[in-house]
Amino acid sequence: MKIAIPMNEKTLNSSVSAHFGRAPYFLIYDTETKESVFIDNSASASRGGAGIKAAQVILDQQANALITPRLGDNAADVLEAAKIEIYKSVEGSAEDNIDALLNKKLSILSEIHPGLHDHRNK
Amino acid sequence: MTTETSKIKIAILSGKGGTGKTLLSVNLASVAPSAHYIDCDIEEPNGHLFFKPENLTEEVVTVKIPQVNPALCNACRQCVEFCRFNALAFIMDRPIVFEEVCHSCGGCSLVCPINAIDEKDKGIGLIQKGQSEQVSVYTGILNIGEATGIPIIKRLLAMEQEEPSPLTIIDSPPGSACNVMESIEDADYCILVAEPTLFGAHNLSMVYDLVTLFKKPFGVVLNKCLEEENPAEKFCEEKKIKILYRIPFDQELGLLNSNAEIAVRKSEKYRALFASLLDIVIQEINHETSSHS
């Protein structure tokens, strides 16, 4: 299984990014090979639709699960359509969160917020 | 007045809501022998509350949204890569459209190498047209949740052209963003309405920058004026902006307005006030036209 986590820094012991769509990096962790790869989130600088594009990045990495503190509705729609499981992150590092998921201690993310769509004109 | 035969379009703007755009717009339109009132504040149109127009007709405003034909799509992903708004996602070998993120540019259907993308109409709002005494009232209404009302403003202004009126009053949205730019594009003259506060002066400076950028002739109406210092007036003096009129802070006017009454239809005093304001504006416009021709 491949797990995706939004990150501000490219280290396993740093904490999970507070944002999904605009996180600078994603950690892709492969539970079989125990390999960690950090990829750039090409959506982070998008003018709009960052959540959709970030979800696309995760999907293209063939991730099976996402661990994130929060998620917008458009990103959730993409991930749900792609049957990617969405878990709510807990306090601690990326590594702690991976352990928690493997020990079945993470819950499914139930609150999906309305998108922070960046195109209000006012 | 030498304007009986010429057609004049005046846009009323302000940097923020609540300064008196609608007060000015509905009263200026109502004081003229015949006028069009165009409510371009499509996110929260309120002019119709004053006019209570009759014989309403409605038109739905639509934009084009892509529709992928799954039987033709060869999963090349070019549409998804093209979209700068990220309105398309590629899931399970198919492009999926996020309609509310789409800006209707039509690019995806152009780049599709096998013409698998058609466009369908999606309603984003309404235009209501009705009559209130001698004023034709056009109201743009954007559906809640839509990203942009510009197609509605474009349609409003095009519709109004179909039956031109000697005087058109455009009630612009607040602020100085795209919606406002669209609403003043064809205006002959802009009236900036400002409140006598620091905040009012700041917001006035935003719309001042906008009309200057658009090279529109303009003047300022200072609303809710008190005896004390007026930062908006000071701004006008510094920038040498024409002050068209000072409307005093007036409880009677405020009360009429908050009861959604059109002051000029209720009181001779206010009819005289707005008639003289309209005269001043028309003189300004004639002066502008003659000095530029």
Side-chain angles (χ1 to χ4, degrees):
Chain A
M1 177 171 82
K2 278 185 175 179
I3 304 168
I5 305 181
M7 301 292 291
N8 292 328
E9 291 166 51
K10 294 184 179 182
T11 59
L12 272 177
N13 55 15
S14 62
S15 57
V16 178
S17 171
H19 300 283
F20 170 72
R22 298 193 184 272
Y25 313 108
F26 286 115
L27 162 63
I28 308 291
Y29 179 81
D30 188 324
T31 56
E32 274 143 49
T33 63
K34 301 202 172 10
E35 205 182 358
S36 305
V37 182
F38 288 89
I39 54 163
D40 291 338
N41 174 16
S42 54
S44 64
S46 299
R47 281 202 57 198
I52 297 171
K53 193 171 183 190
Q56 183 78 57
V57 171
I58 305 283
L59 197 156
D60 291 341
Q61 291 291 323
Q62 274 115 33
N64 312 93
L66 167 70
I67 304 175
T68 183
R70 51 212 297 273
L71 194 66
D73 50 5
N74 285 333
D77 285 350
V78 173
L79 298 173
E80 278 161 15
K83 300 195 170 30
I84 294 173
E85 294 165 5
I86 308 163
Y87 294 94
K88 183 165 176 56
S89 60
V90 289
E91 283 278 309
S93 66
E95 205 167 14
D96 296 338
N97 273 277
I98 293 168
D99 287 343
L101 178 61
L102 296 177
N103 291 318
K104 302 198 186 321
K105 289 204 172 125
L106 290 189
S107 51
I108 299 284
L109 182 75
S110 52
E111 284 172 32
I112 303 295
H113 66 78
L116 305 168
H117 309 148
D118 194 22
H119 38 54
R120 292 276 298 173
N121 286 330
K122 292 196 157 180
Chain B
M1 292 199 324
T2 55
T3 51
E4 270 88 13
T5 51
S6 57
K7 295 177 190 70
I8 293 177
K9 280 188 194 164
I10 303 169
I12 320 275
L13 297 81
S14 73
K16 67 185 271 288
T19 60
K21 281 186 302 300
T22 300
L23 168 82
L24 213 63
S25 302
V26 299
N27 282 289
L28 288 179
S30 302
V31 86
S34 163
H36 284 177
Y37 165 85
I38 319 290
D39 201 341
C40 287
D41 189 3
I42 39 100
E43 289 182 35
E44 44 231 347
N46 60 348
H48 65 99
L49 300 175
F50 293 84
F51 282 114
K52 304 163 187 77
E54 291 173 348
N55 303 322
L56 281 183
T57 55
E58 277 190 0
E59 179 186 308
V60 175
V61 179
T62 59
V63 294
K64 298 286 183 194
I65 290 289
Q67 194 172 27
V68 181
N69 183 341
L72 293 177
C73 178
N74 66 354
C76 74
R77 249 184 115 139
Q78 287 186 44
C79 54
V80 178
E81 306 303 333
F82 176 82
C83 183
R84 287 295 165 272
F85 302 104
N86 302 318
L88 290 148
F90 192 71
I91 307 168
M92 308 275 190
D93 280 340
R94 285 285 169 268
I96 307 289
V97 180
F98 284 80
E99 294 190 356
E100 73 277 23
V101 182
C102 176
H103 282 51
S104 304
C105 74
C108 52
S109 66
L110 287 176
V111 299
C112 179
I114 50 160
N115 298 323
I117 302 180
D118 288 330
E119 291 182 299
K120 62 172 180 179
D121 286 331
K122 178 199 167 199
I124 59 160
L126 281 181
I127 288 174
Q128 282 181 343
K129 191 190 159 194
Q131 199 65 28
S132 172
E133 298 183 16
Q134 87 298 6
V135 183
S136 300
V137 180
Y138 294 76
T139 306
I141 307 163
L142 180 67
N143 292 344
I144 289 169
E146 287 302 331
T148 171
I150 285 181
I152 297 181
I153 296 176
K154 276 191 198 300
R155 182 67 195 125
L156 269 172
L157 297 174
M159 231 171 126
E160 186 264 330
Q161 298 265 39
E162 290 162 13
E163 299 163 62
S165 164
L167 177 70
T168 296
I169 301 288
I170 299 166
D171 194 353
S172 289
S176 54
C178 314
N179 281 346
V180 183
M181 297 183 204
E182 194 64 44
S183 72
I184 66 169
E185 199 165 308
D186 293 330
D188 302 303
Y189 193 84
C190 294
I191 301 179
L192 318 184
V193 194
E195 281 177 352
T197 59
L198 271 180
F199 190 38
H202 171 75
N203 290 297
L204 173 61
S205 79
M206 287 164 51
V207 273
Y208 164 76
D209 287 345
L210 180 71
V211 292
T212 312
L213 184 71
F214 272 66
K215 299 188 170 64
K216 292 284 175 190
F218 67 97
V220 168
V221 168
L222 298 168
N223 192 17
K224 307 180 205 176
C225 291
L226 297 160
E227 292 294 307
E228 55 215 59
E229 193 183 326
N230 184 341
E233 183 165 11
K234 218 171 135 199
F235 178 83
C236 293
E237 282 161 7
E238 278 165 18
K239 299 281 181 190
K240 301 191 169 37
I241 300 168
K242 170 83 183 174
I243 296 172
L244 301 164
Y245 212 89
R246 290 172 180 81
I247 302 177
F249 183 82
D250 177 344
Q251 241 174 359
E252 192 188 342
L253 182 59
L255 193 64
L256 280 171
N257 202 52
S258 54
N259 286 326
E261 301 283 7
I262 297 171
V264 305
R265 289 186 184 169
K266 288 283 161 185
S267 139
E268 272 310 313
K269 179 170 91 179
Y270 296 123
R271 173 166 288 277
L273 186 160
F274 284 99
S276 72
L277 171 53
L278 185 60
D279 273 351
I280 292 169
V281 174
I282 287 171
Q283 273 170 30
E284 276 294 304
I285 295 170
N286 289 338
H287 174 70
E288 283 288 336
T289 334
S290 58
S291 64
H292 284 90
S293 56

